[in-house]
């Protein structure tokens, strides 16, 4: 895969592409409170990517629908889960990511501290499931960012193609990934259910979608 990389400019933020930057240059931008509400930050060894925050209803709606699917599935199946929105995860000096939403799943994870600092991946594990909502960043979400999440040790990664109600799901292990159509960290959750919920969101309100999901998740197997 070929990446076009330029050099970081101190005069302005270069968004939506990977640029050359030292860790200190990255921190100068990523840890500036003035940027917290306007951008998301990624770093991979000697390059960084800054994405301007998506404010449109398409991105926000897709994000909330995915949250509802996962939350209601965990409730219906009595699965321990911790949900995080737009949270940064940092391996100091090497890598950082800030996915749209992420989930710790299972009985053994530790609760990370509740503060405004990035979660330290030298002290806490990376979330088991990471989701990116792709409204303008689909190629990068499927490419460079997927490799970043492989290296960080994410177990499962979803990319939601916002314009098509489509979910690309990957199981990750040993810095490799393969496509799946049923979640491995949320056993029994079909990716087709997530896609159907996204399609329903085009014409239905959240309450109607939630009732359909709960009925789907709680129906007794034949």
């Amino acid at each position: 895969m070929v990446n076009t990389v330029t050099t970081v400019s101190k005069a302005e933020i270069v968004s939506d592409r990977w640029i050359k930057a030292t860790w200190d240059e990255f921190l100068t931008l990523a840890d500036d409170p003035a940027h917290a509400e306007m951008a998301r930050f990624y770093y991979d060894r000697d390059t960084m990517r800054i994405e301007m925050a998506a404010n449109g209803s398409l991105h926000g709606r897709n994000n909330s629908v995915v949250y509802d699917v996962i939350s209601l599935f965990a409730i219906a199946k009595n699965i321990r889960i911790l949900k995080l929105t737009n949270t940064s995860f940092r391996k100091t000096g090497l890598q950082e990511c800030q996915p749209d939403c992420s989930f710790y799943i299972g009985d053994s994870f530790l609760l990370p501290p509740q503060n405004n600092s990035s979660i330290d991946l030298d002290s806490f594990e990376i979330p088991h499931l990471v989701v990116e909502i792709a409204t303008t960043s689909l190629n990068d979400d499927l490419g460079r960012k997927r490799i970043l999440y492989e290296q960080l040790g994410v177990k499962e990664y979803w990319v939601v193609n916002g314009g098509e109600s489509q979910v690309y799901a990957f199981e990750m292990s040993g810095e490799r990934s393969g496509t799946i159509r049923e979640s491995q960290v949320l056993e029994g959750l079909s990716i087709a259910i997530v896609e159907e919920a996204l399609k329903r969101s085009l014409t239905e309100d959240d309450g109607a979608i939630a009732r359909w999901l709960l009925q789907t998740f709680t129906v007794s197997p034949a």
Side-chain angles (χ1 to χ4, degrees):
M1 180 176 60
V2 177
N3 290 304
T4 301
V5 178
T6 56
T7 304
V8 64
S9 169
K10 296 181 180 179
E12 61 178 352
I13 292 180
V14 178
S15 64
D16 299 317
R17 54 182 168 144
W18 291 91
I19 62 174
K20 285 284 186 182
T22 66
W23 180 250
D24 288 340
E25 288 171 332
F26 171 75
L27 291 184
T28 297
L29 295 173
D31 288 348
D32 185 343
H35 299 146
E37 299 298 324
M38 59 179 287
R40 294 190 298 135
F41 293 84
Y42 299 81
Y43 190 83
D44 188 11
R45 293 178 171 83
D46 62 350
T47 56
M48 72 175 179
R49 178 179 170 90
I50 302 172
E51 292 182 2
M52 305 313 290
N55 296 319
S57 61
L58 175 62
H59 186 279
R61 189 86 166 100
N62 284 179
N63 208 5
S64 65
V65 169
V66 170
Y67 252 76
D68 285 349
V69 173
I70 293 171
S71 297
L72 292 172
F73 184 84
I75 291 169
K77 304 302 181 183
N78 196 28
I79 298 171
R80 182 171 178 257
I81 194 167
L82 176 69
K83 308 181 292 288
L84 296 168
T85 304
N86 202 27
T87 300
S88 293
F89 302 90
R90 177 172 294 176
K91 189 178 286 289
T92 302
L94 292 176
Q95 294 168 313
E96 181 156 339
C97 60
Q98 193 175 350
D100 286 300
C101 47
S102 50
F103 305 85
Y104 288 100
I105 299 166
D107 296 328
S108 61
F109 67 81
L110 299 176
L111 296 175
Q114 295 191 41
N115 54 42
N116 288 324
S117 300
S118 299
I119 293 177
D120 181 6
L121 295 180
D122 294 317
S123 301
F124 294 90
E125 64 182 321
I126 190 77
H128 303 92
L129 170 61
V130 164
V131 181
E132 292 281 8
I133 309 297
T135 50
T136 60
S137 58
L138 180 61
N139 288 339
D140 191 76
D141 291 337
L142 292 173
R144 182 72 179 267
K145 269 192 256 179
R146 178 170 59 89
I147 295 172
L148 174 60
Y149 289 127
E150 288 175 359
Q151 294 171 345
L152 287 171
V154 170
K155 293 185 181 300
E156 192 164 309
Y157 175 48
W158 298 0
V159 177
V160 177
N161 184 353
E164 302 294 335
S165 299
Q166 183 177 18
V167 179
Y168 300 91
F170 302 90
E171 180 183 21
M172 295 183 164
S173 179
E175 297 191 15
R176 293 173 179 257
S177 60
T179 58
I180 54 174
R181 291 301 295 170
E182 182 174 308
S183 176
Q184 303 302 295
V185 297
L186 292 166
E187 187 176 351
L189 176 57
S190 170
I191 302 303
I193 294 292
V194 187
E195 293 175 331
E196 177 63 22
L198 290 165
K199 291 175 184 175
R200 286 173 178 254
S201 72
L202 299 174
T203 58
E204 299 181 19
D205 64 85
D206 290 349
I209 296 170
R211 288 188 291 272
W212 170 74
L213 285 168
L214 284 173
Q215 183 180 33
T216 301
F217 295 151
T218 58
V219 65
S220 298

Short mmCIF file of all heavy atoms in Angstrom, two decimals, residues 146-166:
data_model
loop_
_atom_site.label_atom_id
_atom_site.label_comp_id
_atom_site.label_asym_id
_atom_site.label_seq_id
_atom_site.Cartn_x
_atom_site.Cartn_y
_atom_site.Cartn_z
N ARG A 146 -6.68 0.48 9.75
CA ARG A 146 -6.86 -0.95 10.04
C ARG A 146 -5.54 -1.58 10.46
O ARG A 146 -5.49 -2.35 11.43
CB ARG A 146 -7.43 -1.67 8.82
CG ARG A 146 -7.61 -3.18 9.05
CD ARG A 146 -8.40 -3.82 7.93
NE ARG A 146 -7.78 -3.64 6.63
CZ ARG A 146 -6.89 -4.46 6.09
NH1 ARG A 146 -6.47 -5.52 6.78
NH2 ARG A 146 -6.40 -4.23 4.90
N ILE A 147 -4.46 -1.22 9.78
CA ILE A 147 -3.14 -1.73 10.15
C ILE A 147 -2.73 -1.23 11.54
O ILE A 147 -2.17 -1.98 12.35
CB ILE A 147 -2.10 -1.34 9.09
CG1 ILE A 147 -2.43 -2.02 7.76
CG2 ILE A 147 -0.69 -1.70 9.54
CD1 ILE A 147 -1.58 -1.56 6.60
N LEU A 148 -3.03 0.03 11.83
CA LEU A 148 -2.72 0.59 13.14
C LEU A 148 -3.44 -0.20 14.24
O LEU A 148 -2.84 -0.56 15.27
CB LEU A 148 -3.14 2.07 13.18
CG LEU A 148 -3.02 2.79 14.53
CD1 LEU A 148 -1.59 2.78 15.04
CD2 LEU A 148 -3.55 4.22 14.41
N TYR A 149 -4.71 -0.50 14.03
CA TYR A 149 -5.46 -1.24 15.04
C TYR A 149 -4.97 -2.68 15.16
O TYR A 149 -4.97 -3.26 16.26
CB TYR A 149 -6.95 -1.19 14.73
CG TYR A 149 -7.56 0.17 14.96
CD1 TYR A 149 -8.29 0.82 13.97
CD2 TYR A 149 -7.40 0.82 16.18
CE1 TYR A 149 -8.84 2.07 14.18
CE2 TYR A 149 -7.95 2.08 16.40
CZ TYR A 149 -8.66 2.69 15.40
OH TYR A 149 -9.20 3.94 15.62
N GLU A 150 -4.53 -3.28 14.06
CA GLU A 150 -3.91 -4.60 14.13
C GLU A 150 -2.70 -4.56 15.05
O GLU A 150 -2.53 -5.42 15.92
CB GLU A 150 -3.47 -5.06 12.74
CG GLU A 150 -4.58 -5.44 11.79
CD GLU A 150 -4.07 -5.75 10.39
OE1 GLU A 150 -2.84 -5.65 10.16
OE2 GLU A 150 -4.89 -6.09 9.53
N GLN A 151 -1.84 -3.57 14.86
CA GLN A 151 -0.61 -3.46 15.64
C GLN A 151 -0.88 -3.18 17.11
O GLN A 151 -0.14 -3.64 17.98
CB GLN A 151 0.28 -2.37 15.04
CG GLN A 151 0.80 -2.69 13.65
CD GLN A 151 1.50 -1.52 12.99
OE1 GLN A 151 1.38 -0.38 13.42
NE2 GLN A 151 2.23 -1.81 11.92
N LEU A 152 -1.95 -2.45 17.39
CA LEU A 152 -2.29 -2.12 18.78
C LEU A 152 -2.93 -3.28 19.52
O LEU A 152 -3.05 -3.25 20.75
CB LEU A 152 -3.21 -0.91 18.82
CG LEU A 152 -2.56 0.45 18.50
CD1 LEU A 152 -3.63 1.53 18.35
CD2 LEU A 152 -1.57 0.84 19.59
N GLY A 153 -3.34 -4.31 18.79
CA GLY A 153 -3.89 -5.49 19.45
C GLY A 153 -5.39 -5.50 19.61
O GLY A 153 -5.93 -6.27 20.43
N VAL A 154 -6.11 -4.68 18.83
CA VAL A 154 -7.58 -4.72 18.84
C VAL A 154 -8.03 -6.10 18.36
O VAL A 154 -7.48 -6.65 17.41
CB VAL A 154 -8.15 -3.61 17.93
CG1 VAL A 154 -9.65 -3.78 17.73
CG2 VAL A 154 -7.84 -2.24 18.52
N LYS A 155 -9.04 -6.67 19.02
CA LYS A 155 -9.52 -8.01 18.64
C LYS A 155 -10.51 -7.95 17.48
O LYS A 155 -10.56 -8.88 16.66
CB LYS A 155 -10.17 -8.70 19.84
CG LYS A 155 -9.19 -9.04 20.96
CD LYS A 155 -9.87 -9.82 22.06
CE LYS A 155 -8.90 -10.15 23.18
NZ LYS A 155 -7.76 -10.95 22.74
N GLU A 156 -11.31 -6.87 17.42
CA GLU A 156 -12.30 -6.77 16.35
C GLU A 156 -12.47 -5.31 15.95
O GLU A 156 -12.50 -4.42 16.81
CB GLU A 156 -13.63 -7.36 16.83
CG GLU A 156 -14.65 -7.55 15.71
CD GLU A 156 -15.78 -8.47 16.14
OE1 GLU A 156 -15.48 -9.60 16.65
OE2 GLU A 156 -16.95 -8.10 16.00
N TYR A 157 -12.61 -5.08 14.66
CA TYR A 157 -12.66 -3.72 14.11
C TYR A 157 -13.79 -3.65 13.09
O TYR A 157 -13.87 -4.48 12.19
CB TYR A 157 -11.31 -3.41 13.46
CG TYR A 157 -11.21 -2.09 12.73
CD1 TYR A 157 -11.64 -0.90 13.32
CD2 TYR A 157 -10.64 -2.03 11.46
CE1 TYR A 157 -11.52 0.31 12.65
CE2 TYR A 157 -10.51 -0.82 10.80
CZ TYR A 157 -10.94 0.34 11.40
OH TYR A 157 -10.82 1.54 10.73
N TRP A 158 -14.66 -2.64 13.27
CA TRP A 158 -15.73 -2.40 12.32
C TRP A 158 -15.54 -1.05 11.65
O TRP A 158 -15.20 -0.06 12.31
CB TRP A 158 -17.10 -2.37 13.00
CG TRP A 158 -17.54 -3.62 13.68
CD1 TRP A 158 -16.88 -4.81 13.77
CD2 TRP A 158 -18.78 -3.79 14.40
NE1 TRP A 158 -17.60 -5.71 14.49
CE2 TRP A 158 -18.78 -5.12 14.89
CE3 TRP A 158 -19.86 -2.97 14.67
CZ2 TRP A 158 -19.84 -5.62 15.65
CZ3 TRP A 158 -20.91 -3.47 15.41
CH2 TRP A 158 -20.89 -4.78 15.89
N VAL A 159 -15.78 -1.01 10.36
CA VAL A 159 -15.84 0.26 9.62
C VAL A 159 -17.24 0.38 9.05
O VAL A 159 -17.68 -0.48 8.28
CB VAL A 159 -14.80 0.30 8.48
CG1 VAL A 159 -14.94 1.60 7.68
CG2 VAL A 159 -13.38 0.16 9.03
N VAL A 160 -17.95 1.43 9.44
CA VAL A 160 -19.31 1.67 8.96
C VAL A 160 -19.26 2.63 7.79
O VAL A 160 -18.81 3.78 7.95
CB VAL A 160 -20.20 2.24 10.09
CG1 VAL A 160 -21.60 2.54 9.56
CG2 VAL A 160 -20.27 1.26 11.26
N ASN A 161 -19.69 2.17 6.64
CA ASN A 161 -19.78 3.03 5.46
C ASN A 161 -21.10 3.79 5.56
O ASN A 161 -22.17 3.27 5.22
CB ASN A 161 -19.73 2.18 4.19
CG ASN A 161 -19.72 3.03 2.93
OD1 ASN A 161 -19.88 4.25 2.98
ND2 ASN A 161 -19.53 2.40 1.79
N GLY A 162 -21.01 5.03 6.03
CA GLY A 162 -22.18 5.79 6.39
C GLY A 162 -23.18 5.99 5.28
O GLY A 162 -24.39 6.01 5.52
N GLY A 163 -22.73 6.12 4.06
CA GLY A 163 -23.64 6.39 2.97
C GLY A 163 -24.35 5.16 2.43
O GLY A 163 -25.31 5.27 1.67
N GLU A 164 -23.90 3.97 2.83
CA GLU A 164 -24.43 2.73 2.22
C GLU A 164 -25.03 1.77 3.23
O GLU A 164 -25.43 0.67 2.86
CB GLU A 164 -23.28 2.02 1.47
CG GLU A 164 -22.62 2.85 0.38
CD GLU A 164 -23.57 3.16 -0.77
OE1 GLU A 164 -24.53 2.39 -0.97
OE2 GLU A 164 -23.36 4.19 -1.45
N SER A 165 -25.10 2.15 4.51
CA SER A 165 -25.61 1.24 5.56
C SER A 165 -24.87 -0.10 5.51
O SER A 165 -25.47 -1.17 5.64
CB SER A 165 -27.11 1.03 5.42
OG SER A 165 -27.80 2.24 5.56
N GLN A 166 -23.57 -0.03 5.32
CA GLN A 166 -22.73 -1.21 5.15
C GLN A 166 -21.66 -1.24 6.23
O GLN A 166 -21.09 -0.21 6.59
CB GLN A 166 -22.08 -1.19 3.77
CG GLN A 166 -21.24 -2.41 3.43
CD GLN A 166 -20.69 -2.33 2.02
OE1 GLN A 166 -20.64 -1.26 1.41
NE2 GLN A 166 -20.27 -3.45 1.48
#
